[in-house]
Amino acid sequence: MDRFELRASALTRRDFIKIAGATAALLGLSRALTPKMVKALENTAGKPAVIWLEGQDCAGCVESFLNSLEPPATTLLLDAISLRYCETAMAGSGYKAEEILDQTVAEGGYLLVIEGAIPLAEDGLFCTVGGKPFKDIVRDCAKNAAAIICVGACSSFGGIPRSGPTDAVGYLYRGTKLHHFYDDVGPKPVINLPTCPLHGERLVAVIVHYLTFGTIPELDRFQRPKAFYGYNQHENCERRAHFEAGEYVTDFGNPAQYGWCLYLKGCKGPWANQDCWKRRWNQRTNYCIRAGIPCVACSNPEFYESVSPMYKRQFDTELPGIGRVDLDKVMAVVGGAVAAGVGLDMAVSRATGRWKTAKGEKPPDRDGNEG
Ligand code: SF4
């Protein structure tokens, strides 16, 4: 065996139609494109090659992806794609595995999936594989890649490792700023699929789009597909009515507060851009807020430092166009201080774009985009 061709049971045409239909829906594409997608999937069995690298990570993204059943991400990956290298999923190891990696890189034209942050401090010695700094492995693999897909918050923006001493960055970004470390690799498509961990459906959709059209879906300014990250959590939250009514969870043990807004428990939904509210996780069973966990905005470049402490009440916070807001006033809302409640609603409304200036313009959002 000269390469890892991990295969599951063969996909049927029915499977291809199911995947193509789901992908069209995910990306907001016309159903009329489904036959084209089916054809692309049928014609690409065994290719293109995929290299999946893991750096400063917890392997949560690859596990999240491999556990996806709807659409059947694993079957797609193993049957329609040639997975050449993936430390968590491949059977091989050692020199043979590295040989396959080198061979695939030499062939070129593969999809490079990066999971985990890339530490740059101390010349990259905080993360090495086979004695080689991960930052150099990424560069070597990126050069001949057709496109680069950063899965999870860490490889997109640095994620949780960015709060440590290793100068952990994503492939393009150190938080919200471009770091230009890989400029010498040259221009090529880079897609960021943040959240912690990755949602498998988003990766499947990007791969199917690439197989079908040879291009990547439309991206926002942080290289995130607009189809998945063009929504605001707070605007679409099922607890929103409680937010508007001033009903905030202050005691998780109080049954009377079941389903109330989690803002005072640290929810960052007003700043979070993603579609988790409709995507949901674990075969669309549930997601953080519906399960009673405050949103931590893990899809945003600022995750994780700027959203800490994640599950504790923030004493004050910076709101775009407003400045620092004293959240003691928020607590006063719960106590019935109406004037403070008006202030909070105005502040959050402004942060989410519902607020308008006296001239009727929207203020800049958290990323500085003009309204
Ligand atoms: Fe939902 Fe959080 Fe907004 Fe409350 S603050 S409505 S829980 S997103």
Side-chain angles (χ1 to χ4, degrees):
M1 187 176 76
D2 62 353
R3 65 182 53 163
F4 295 106
E5 296 268 2
L6 304 179
R7 300 186 71 79
S9 57
L11 286 171
T12 64
R13 184 171 173 78
R14 196 185 179 88
D15 293 326
F16 283 133
I17 291 172
K18 197 174 168 189
I19 294 170
T23 300
L26 283 170
L27 291 168
L29 302 175
S30 165
R31 284 274 171 189
L33 290 170
T34 300
K36 186 174 180 178
M37 289 181 166
V38 171
K39 200 169 174 195
L41 285 167
E42 287 177 327
N43 291 339
T44 55
K47 52 186 177 177
V50 171
I51 294 174
W52 187 306
L53 297 179
E54 292 179 64
Q56 256 184 324
D57 73 322
C58 66
C61 291
V62 67
E63 288 189 21
S64 174
F65 179 69
L66 293 174
N67 282 326
S68 297
L69 295 177
E70 187 68 33
T74 313
T75 312
L76 175 75
L77 181 64
L78 302 182
D79 242 356
I81 301 285
S82 174
L83 179 66
R84 301 288 180 86
Y85 186 91
C86 176
E87 285 155 9
T88 298
M90 67 188 181
S93 62
Y95 292 113
K96 189 65 184 169
E98 299 304 314
E99 222 176 275
I100 300 303
L101 177 61
D102 293 343
Q103 185 186 323
T104 306
V105 170
E107 286 170 11
Y110 46 86
L111 288 172
L112 175 62
V113 176
I114 305 175
E115 176 180 3
I118 307 161
L120 300 182
E122 301 295 338
D123 204 23
L125 290 180
F126 285 105
C127 180
T128 63
V129 181
K132 194 171 170 183
F134 186 62
K135 69 180 178 60
D136 297 337
I137 296 172
V138 169
R139 172 175 276 105
D140 291 346
C141 291
K143 279 180 182 161
N144 290 344
I148 299 170
I149 307 175
C150 300
V151 295
C154 300
S155 60
S156 298
F157 306 115
I160 291 175
R162 199 164 69 86
S163 62
T166 63
D167 189 17
V169 300
Y171 179 76
L172 288 179
Y173 290 94
R174 180 186 278 113
T176 56
K177 306 273 187 260
L178 289 165
H179 54 64
H180 302 290
F181 187 72
Y182 292 114
D183 278 1
D184 59 313
V185 168
K188 56 184 66 204
V190 178
I191 305 108
N192 284 333
L193 298 177
T195 60
C196 185
L198 160 81
H199 195 301
E201 284 182 14
R202 294 175 182 141
L203 178 57
V204 172
V206 168
I207 290 177
V208 173
H209 191 283
Y210 177 79
L211 292 176
T212 306
F213 305 107
T215 59
I216 56 177
E218 190 183 359
L219 306 178
D220 69 9
R221 66 182 295 235
F222 289 115
Q223 309 292 118
R224 301 173 296 191
K226 287 183 176 174
F228 309 142
Y229 301 92
Y231 304 91
N232 178 266
Q233 169 61 44
H234 180 72
E235 293 289 342
N236 296 284
C237 185
E238 60 263 52
R239 298 184 186 231
R240 175 63 180 274
H242 293 288
F243 172 88
E244 300 289 352
E247 294 173 342
Y248 303 101
V249 173
T250 54
D251 175 8
F252 280 120
N254 182 350
Q257 296 180 1
Y258 179 78
W260 284 11
C261 173
L262 298 164
Y263 190 76
L264 296 185
K265 288 295 184 186
C267 184
K268 314 300 186 299
W271 302 278
N273 298 315
Q274 31 74 359
D275 61 353
C276 295
W277 48 276
K278 69 172 174 183
R279 181 82 42 231
R280 298 189 187 173
W281 298 69
N282 300 320
Q283 283 51 261
R284 305 202 174 194
T285 306
N286 212 341
Y287 80 109
C288 302
I289 285 179
R290 197 160 177 265
I293 311 292
C295 172
V296 296
C298 60
S299 58
N300 282 16
E302 299 94 340
F303 178 78
Y304 143 96
E305 270 200 312
S306 69
V307 298
S308 296
M310 289 196 291
Y311 301 131
K312 286 190 178 167
R313 169 195 161 201
Q314 294 170 285
F315 286 90
D316 56 9
T317 190
E318 193 82 32
L319 292 177
I322 289 271
R324 201 147 279 277
V325 173
D326 182 353
L327 290 189
D328 275 337
K329 290 179 181 172
V330 178
M331 293 301 288
V333 176
V334 181
V338 176
V342 170
L344 169 70
D345 186 60
M346 182 187 291
V348 177
S349 294
R350 183 171 184 165
T352 57
R354 286 188 297 125
W355 182 90
K356 294 189 189 311
T357 65
K359 293 179 187 168
E361 303 156 340
K362 281 186 177 181
D365 65 16
R366 190 171 172 79
D367 299 326
N369 297 314
E370 296 299 328

